[in-house]
Amino acid sequence: MQYEDLIVEVHGKVALIRLNRPKALNALNDRMMNELGEALAAFDKDADIGCIILTGSEKAFAAGADIAAMVDYTYQDTYRDNYITRNWEHILKVRKPVIGAVAGYALGGGCELAMMCDFLIAADSAKFGQPEIKIGVTPGAGATQRLPRAIGKSKAMDLLLTARTIDAAEAERIGLVSRVVPADKLIDEALAAANTVAAMPLSVAMMVKDAVNRAFETTLTEGVNYERRLFHAAFGTPAQREGMKAFLEKRLPNFEGL
Ligand code: CAA
């Protein structure tokens, strides 16, 4: 598929989606978010894909929602057209693992979109922040909810109220990203991680993602019960038989097609 604001590649079982509006530092507008939704849905359905990477450019993952596009919005425009909800949250419906690979700016909606990925690998050039308050709005794509859950209330309030930007090292220290790698190795490292994930049994990877996401929506007891049901369900998959037998037979498992 061809897109105006995305570059899409397939590397074996890994789909790589690049946000591509370089002149606006990948500011997120409707066309890009619609295309992103289409691309994600297509790869989620594609039986040959086991993991998806979402990335931007060397300079910017995304510098936020497109300010030029929204400067003249009124309250009634945003409410009537369901701004954000209408096309930003397709990524949350993706059932396969999605890795965010962040270089350069991930600000405002860019940081929020990154936080909707399952885990983040950051280039040492990455910069994260929620500067919305400086342009007279609250965050609108989940930062006030996802940031405190990811990094705790004090850090989240600090970033949200001061609008300060943090570097990759601080982002890793506070748990916003899982790994930091040299900028020129970002895509290689993301592909290596994605290939590792894609080599796992897909149905089980999807169950793990489902169970972790449940943790943010429910109580501990309910979440553990949910995990237990998925654990039991895993015994109904060929992956369990193959994985456990392979261990006992001292060979590598073959999860192809599982
Ligand atoms: N929207 C629209 N255009 C943007 C943009 C954005 N969020 N961020 C950058 N651009 C554009 C600039 O207007 C500029 O365009 P021109 O060349 O046509 O003038 C181009 O990208 C390059 O930007 P700068 O010249 O500003 O580049 P810089 O290197 O000096 O600064 C930056 C980089 C610090 C990221 C700065 O561009 C910046 O602060 N951007 C805005 C960040 C921001 O406020 N994001 C939050 C948006 S609101 C939001 O996201 C709401 C939400 O929660 C959903």
Side-chain angles (χ1 to χ4, degrees):
M1 276 246 251
Q2 286 294 316
Y3 299 98
E4 299 287 332
D5 295 326
L6 304 177
I7 299 171
V8 165
E9 298 164 11
V10 171
H11 298 254
K13 293 172 79 175
V14 175
L16 178 66
I17 302 176
R18 279 179 200 274
L19 305 172
N20 186 42
R21 289 187 72 210
K23 288 192 182 132
L25 298 182
N26 290 338
L28 304 162
N29 65 6
D30 268 344
R31 187 170 71 184
M32 187 188 256
M33 298 316 282
N34 287 334
E35 289 188 352
L36 180 59
E38 285 170 32
L40 287 165
F43 286 128
D44 205 28
K45 261 195 246 149
D46 185 337
D48 295 329
I49 296 298
C51 188
I52 300 167
I53 298 171
L54 178 60
T55 193
S57 67
E58 279 174 28
K59 189 146 187 225
F61 177 77
D66 189 330
I67 299 168
M70 65 183 162
V71 60
D72 291 325
Y73 280 0
T74 61
Y75 166 69
Q76 56 271 29
D77 294 331
T78 56
Y79 187 83
R80 185 191 53 225
D81 298 343
N82 213 4
Y83 180 45
I84 300 295
T85 308
R86 68 186 174 215
N87 55 10
W88 280 58
E89 293 182 334
H90 298 293
I91 191 166
L92 302 177
K93 304 213 162 59
V94 175
R95 297 174 72 218
K96 290 176 181 169
V98 180
I99 299 174
V102 178
Y105 296 109
L107 300 180
C111 188
E112 292 172 299
L113 180 62
M115 284 192 283
M116 291 187 222
C117 296
D118 297 323
F119 69 91
L120 294 178
I121 300 179
D124 50 16
S125 65
K127 294 182 183 66
F128 297 86
Q130 297 292 158
E132 287 91 337
I133 196 166
K134 284 203 297 190
I135 58 164
V137 287
T138 66
T144 62
Q145 307 305 303
R146 290 196 180 88
L147 208 51
R149 283 168 168 82
I151 65 175
K153 176 182 165 185
S154 187
K155 274 280 181 191
M157 286 285 199
D158 176 358
L159 300 195
L160 291 160
L161 291 172
T162 69
R164 82 179 170 93
T165 296
I166 59 170
D167 63 15
E170 185 170 358
E172 186 185 28
R173 195 170 69 242
I174 64 180
L176 185 59
V177 309
S178 74
R179 320 179 190 179
V180 179
V181 300
D184 61 351
K185 298 272 185 315
L186 177 67
I187 297 303
D188 287 347
E189 295 284 343
L191 282 169
N195 275 314
T196 302
V197 173
M200 303 298 174
L202 180 59
S203 51
V204 183
M206 290 165 71
M207 288 180 191
V208 170
K209 170 170 175 163
D210 186 13
V212 173
N213 283 334
R214 184 59 65 115
F216 295 97
E217 308 291 346
T218 192
T219 64
L220 178 61
T221 304
E222 286 303 317
V224 172
N225 281 339
Y226 191 72
E227 181 205 74
R228 202 63 34 86
R229 289 290 161 263
L230 288 172
F231 174 67
H232 295 163
F235 285 81
T237 68
Q240 174 268 337
R241 204 55 44 94
E242 169 60 11
M244 292 191 183
K245 271 190 172 171
F247 174 79
L248 294 173
E249 291 165 9
K250 302 192 187 306
R251 61 175 172 83
L252 287 175
N254 177 5
F255 292 129
E256 203 52 48
L258 303 186

